[in-house]
Structure formats: C-alpha cells, structure tokens
Amino acid sequence: MLVDDKYEDLGRMFGLFRRVPNGLLLIRDAMTSHLRETCKQLVADPERLKDPVDFVQWLLDEKDKHDKIINLAFNNDKTFQNALNSSFEYFINLNPRSPEFISLFVDDKLRRGLKGVSEEDIEIVLDKVMMLFRYLQEKDVFEKYYKQHLAKRLLSGKTVSDDTSQDTMKAFYAAVGAELAEGPTLAVQVLTTGSWPTQSGTTCNLPPEILGVCNKFRTFYLGTHTGRRLSWQTNMGTADLKATFGKGKKHELNVSTYQMCILMLFNNADQLNYREIEQATEIPAPDLKRCLQSLACVKGKNVLRKDPMSKEIGEDDTFLFNDKFSSKFYKVKIGTVVAQKESEPEKHETRQRMEEDRKQQIEAAIVRIMKARRVLDHNNIVTEATKQLQSRFLPNPVVIKKRIESLIEREFLERDKVDRKLYRYLA
C-alpha cells in the first residue's frame, strides 16, 4: 500500500489499528522499516550515486510522497511525522557525500533554473531542500561547498537570480544559527579572502598580452591600497575571444580563462601536442584534460581537432586549430566538461581545509566554556563542546582532546596539579 500510494486503504487501516493498543506503533514501525530499507539500497547503489542532482531529487520526491501519506491517510499524526523525520535524518547521513550532493543540487537549480517554471517555483524547491539540509550532521561541509559554488556562479554570472542566491544563503545560515576595445580589456572582481571561500592557489601561465594588462591593474590597485596582496584566481575567470576560421568566418568565443590560455597558443602554432600545451600553460592536469575535451571533443563546439580522435585525452595526443569550424551563431559559448565529483586531490584538499576550520571552532568553544566555568573536568568539557557544536557538526572526542592539549601548550589552560583530568582556565 505504501509503494502503490493506496491512501484510502491506508486510511482505513489507520482507523482500525488506532483502536488496538499499540496498533499505530505497528503501522509506524512498518512505514519506518520500509523507508529505511528502500533508502539503504539507494545509498548502497554506486550507479544511483553518480548523479548528485538525481539523488537529491529522489530524496525530495520520497519526502513529498510520505508527507502526503501521513497527511491524507494517517490523520497528520505527529508521531508518524517524527518517525519520518528520524528516518530521513538516519539515511541522509549514511551517504558521506550528502552535504556535497545537496549543494550541487542547489547550484544546478540556481545556475540553470527549472524548465517552464518561475523564480517563485524555484524558491519552493529550495525551501524543500532546506528541510533536507536540517537533517545533515555535517552542516559545515555543506556550507564550504555552497560557498564555493556560489562564488563560481556570481563570478561567471550564471545564476537565475542574485537575490535568490543570497536569500538561500541567509536561510541556510538561519538554520545553522551562524553569525554571500582595442587590445585586451580586463574586468576584475576583487574578493577579500575572509568573505569568500578559499581556493587552491594553483595558477596558470597567462598569455603575455593578458599578463601585461594584469600587471597594470596590480600596479594601480596596490598603489591605491596599502597593506594588501593580490593573487589571481585563474581557475575562476572567463574570457571572450574573437576568432577567425576558414573562409574568413568570424566568431566570438566565450570560454574559461584556462581555455583562453590554450587557444591563444595557436596564434603562433598550427599544432601542439598535449605535453607542449601542459608545459606552456602549467594548467593542472585534471583541469587541462577537461578543457581540451571541451575544445576538441564536443560536437558543435570543437574549435580544435584532436589526433587520434577519441573522447578521452591522452598525453600523446596532438591538437590542431580547426579552421573548418562553423556555427550558425556568431557568439559561441564553450563550457568546460564538468566532473560531477571532486578528484581525489580536490576531495583531500577540501577535507583538509574543513578539518582546519573545525579545529578553530572546537578551540573557540573550549575557551568559551572554560572562561565561564573556570575549572572543569575532561568529560564535561567534551560534553559541553559537543553540545555547542552539534548544530554544525559532531566533533570527535579525540580531536577535542588534542585541541585541549594545544590550548595547554599555548597557556590558555592548565592541568590541575593533583587531578590530571581537571583543567583550569588561565586569564
């Protein structure tokens, strides 16, 4: 009946079982067991986890379905609603990538929108996502991914609505309880590192024409502001290139900064192999391969030709300028083949940054506790720190112990001379 949405049958069963002692408990346990088993199978299926957007959409559909069952068949019983919430919290945290998947889902909706629906309808979908967000134990991991995706959307101008993006960020914060010409022309957005998510410091070799303009801006900016440093986030930019193909056909290509660096190499060469491009641009290998795939392997966007022709990029491949390229549009937008999931180095870097952020938050919580209590034993510090931080993440007691040791070394705390498990706050 649950599978086939038999609302009337379920309603009649609810009416009968409520007359029997513990009858509703049997129905509730059956619903919970069915839901948990179904979702366990989803999380354990690697094929279902390949598409983060589909994964989150399935969760939303299941939540809508069971909300409707509880409303229409189970008299909107609060104990059933609590059981449903408990089940969703259980299995959404079975998937360690749920924070990343939910952020990717939000990013997809704010970047591309929903076909045939208004901005108001998008906000309704985002409100439903907020509900999933509240089930997450690692809300800080979601925040890290969401900031990165928001930064990319704003910098590339790919968002349904800036207001919607900002309102969404505010809603997430509220849920957490936290405190968003001639020659080359350059448009620069200066971001403060304290307000924007940190990015990998890897940069590429910019073409001399672009580097000259960048250096002029650097001189101007640092001459206007004192005590500041500038670093270029070349992995976040875009460029518009005017290109002339065979028979004088002209197009304006909208590409990423990395793709621009690759294409401008062909101003001075008819063909280049992979290693030559890699050496000339110093673009990280995973990004370089994705860029070359987009430029040479996507039908209708292949401004380069690849030899041998295949969908994968090999280190022995050769690339040529495709003078036969044509498009019915003057402006041609060439996206980058997107990896739906982070590479292992990227995943390691994100997790490493997360662990560093958590260390600071744990230490801040310990200091607040000790400042108020002055003297406290180890177990109570762990309990109170966990209570303060659980709205964002569940701290590991072993990590809390290490942060206490660090605070002792830096003379924020000291151990009691008699009872070694007792700590004193040092003003």
Side-chain angles (χ1 to χ4, degrees):
M1 288 187 283
L2 289 170
V3 173
D4 296 330
D5 299 334
K6 301 288 187 180
Y7 302 120
E8 292 183 3
D9 293 344
L10 287 167
R12 282 191 287 268
M13 184 178 69
F14 179 84
L16 290 172
F17 273 70
R18 73 187 307 177
R19 300 174 187 175
V20 181
N22 297 322
L24 294 184
L25 180 61
L26 292 173
I27 302 177
R28 193 164 64 244
D29 287 347
M31 180 191 78
T32 302
S33 176
H34 163 72
L35 186 57
R36 290 197 177 199
E37 188 58 37
T38 302
C39 296
K40 267 186 186 178
Q41 292 174 8
L42 171 72
V43 173
D45 185 357
E47 289 299 316
R48 297 298 295 271
L49 297 179
K50 284 185 177 179
D51 190 330
V53 176
D54 284 350
F55 174 83
V56 176
Q57 187 60 59
W58 186 89
L59 291 178
L60 293 176
D61 292 343
E62 284 297 305
K63 185 66 168 63
D64 283 345
K65 171 182 174 174
H66 285 81
D67 279 339
K68 189 174 181 181
I69 290 173
I70 291 172
N71 184 42
L72 295 179
F74 298 157
N75 199 30
N76 212 18
D77 189 287
K78 285 187 178 180
T79 59
F80 279 79
Q81 192 64 57
N82 291 339
L84 178 63
N85 290 335
S86 176
S87 297
F88 265 83
E89 181 176 0
Y90 165 73
F91 65 72
I92 204 171
N93 289 294
L94 279 180
N95 180 8
R97 296 186 63 200
S98 285
E100 179 190 357
F101 280 14
I102 294 175
S103 179
L104 284 168
F105 180 87
V106 174
D107 181 63
D108 180 75
K109 300 310 173 191
L110 293 178
R111 184 182 293 268
R112 296 189 302 155
L114 299 168
K115 292 182 180 179
V117 300
S118 64
E119 189 174 311
E120 289 74 17
D121 292 325
I122 294 175
E123 291 181 1
I124 292 173
V125 173
L126 295 177
D127 286 341
K128 291 181 179 180
V129 176
M130 275 297 305
M131 177 179 50
L132 297 182
F133 168 76
R134 291 188 178 96
Y135 296 136
L136 289 176
Q137 291 178 351
E138 293 190 316
K139 294 182 176 68
D140 57 337
V141 177
F142 168 87
E143 181 185 0
K144 182 71 71 176
Y145 281 112
Y146 184 82
K147 282 184 174 181
Q148 290 176 359
H149 296 148
L150 173 62
K152 289 180 181 179
R153 284 199 308 276
L154 295 178
L155 289 174
S156 61
K158 297 175 182 176
T159 185
V160 175
S161 164
D162 288 346
D163 291 338
T164 303
S165 294
Q166 292 170 10
D167 290 344
T168 302
M169 193 65 183
K170 289 176 183 176
F172 288 129
Y173 276 144
V176 176
E179 323 254 90
L180 229 238
E182 287 297 318
T185 58
L186 183 70
V188 179
Q189 298 190 55
V190 180
L191 316 176
T192 56
T193 54
S195 302
W196 290 76
T198 55
Q199 299 290 332
S200 171
T202 305
T203 58
C204 66
N205 292 333
L206 293 170
E209 304 93 325
I210 304 301
L211 190 59
V213 180
C214 290
N215 288 337
K216 287 181 181 179
F217 176 81
R218 180 188 294 275
T219 301
F220 158 76
Y221 183 81
L222 297 181
T224 307
H225 304 279
T226 57
R228 297 190 183 182
R229 292 184 301 168
L230 272 182
S231 59
W232 298 103
Q233 297 287 345
T234 51
N235 59 320
M236 302 287 282
T238 59
D240 293 320
L241 296 178
K242 292 181 179 178
T244 303
F245 296 89
K247 299 181 180 178
K249 288 182 293 186
K250 295 183 179 181
H251 291 283
E252 184 175 300
L253 309 178
N254 178 252
V255 295
S256 69
T257 301
Y258 282 167
Q259 290 170 331
M260 172 198 70
C261 295
I262 295 168
L263 290 175
M264 290 188 70
L265 294 176
F266 289 88
N267 283 336
N268 302 311
D270 292 328
Q271 69 176 48
L272 295 164
N273 62 41
Y274 174 87
R275 296 181 190 280
E276 289 172 331
I277 295 173
E278 183 180 40
Q279 184 177 3
T281 61
E282 294 189 0
I283 296 172
D287 295 313
L288 178 58
K289 289 181 178 180
R290 287 200 294 269
C291 287
L292 287 170
Q293 274 184 311
S294 303
L295 295 169
C297 304
V298 178
K299 187 177 180 180
K301 307 293 177 82
N302 51 331
V303 293
L304 296 181
R305 290 188 290 118
K306 183 171 108 58
D307 183 29
M309 191 57 214
S310 64
K311 290 185 178 180
E312 299 302 319
I313 302 297
E315 295 187 356
D316 296 322
D317 290 348
T318 299
F319 298 88
L320 304 90
F321 183 72
N322 183 11
D323 59 354
K324 294 182 180 179
F325 172 79
S326 65
S327 173
K328 61 181 179 180
F329 302 106
Y330 171 70
K331 291 186 177 182
V332 180
K333 181 177 178 57
I334 302 176
T336 301
V337 174
V338 178
Q340 280 284 15
K341 63 179 183 179
E342 293 181 302
S343 64
E344 284 304 317
E346 290 171 333
K347 198 180 295 183
H348 176 72
E349 184 183 351
T350 298
R351 178 56 66 173
Q352 204 169 37
R353 289 201 304 265
M354 183 61 55
E355 295 303 330
E356 289 302 315
D357 288 347
R358 287 183 174 182
K359 286 179 185 178
Q360 296 176 12
Q361 293 177 53
I362 291 171
E363 287 186 357
I366 294 170
V367 169
R368 284 196 300 269
I369 292 164
M370 293 303 296
K371 196 171 183 180
R373 303 290 291 275
R374 311 303 294 185
V375 179
L376 203 61
D377 64 87
H378 181 84
N379 289 341
N380 276 317
I381 292 178
V382 172
T383 300
E384 292 198 25
T386 301
K387 187 176 179 181
Q388 283 195 18
L389 296 167
Q390 66 183 0
S391 66
R392 294 181 65 81
F393 64 94
L394 291 177
N396 188 322
V398 175
V399 178
I400 295 177
K401 182 180 179 181
K402 288 181 179 179
R403 299 336 304 158
I404 292 173
E405 297 291 343
S406 176
L407 290 170
I408 291 173
E409 289 176 7
R410 288 177 283 155
E411 298 184 348
F412 284 91
L413 307 176
E414 68 173 2
R415 278 194 176 87
D416 186 84
K417 292 180 174 57
V418 178
D419 186 350
R420 302 300 289 172
K421 291 187 177 181
L422 204 62
Y423 303 102
R424 299 180 183 278
Y425 177 72
L426 299 176

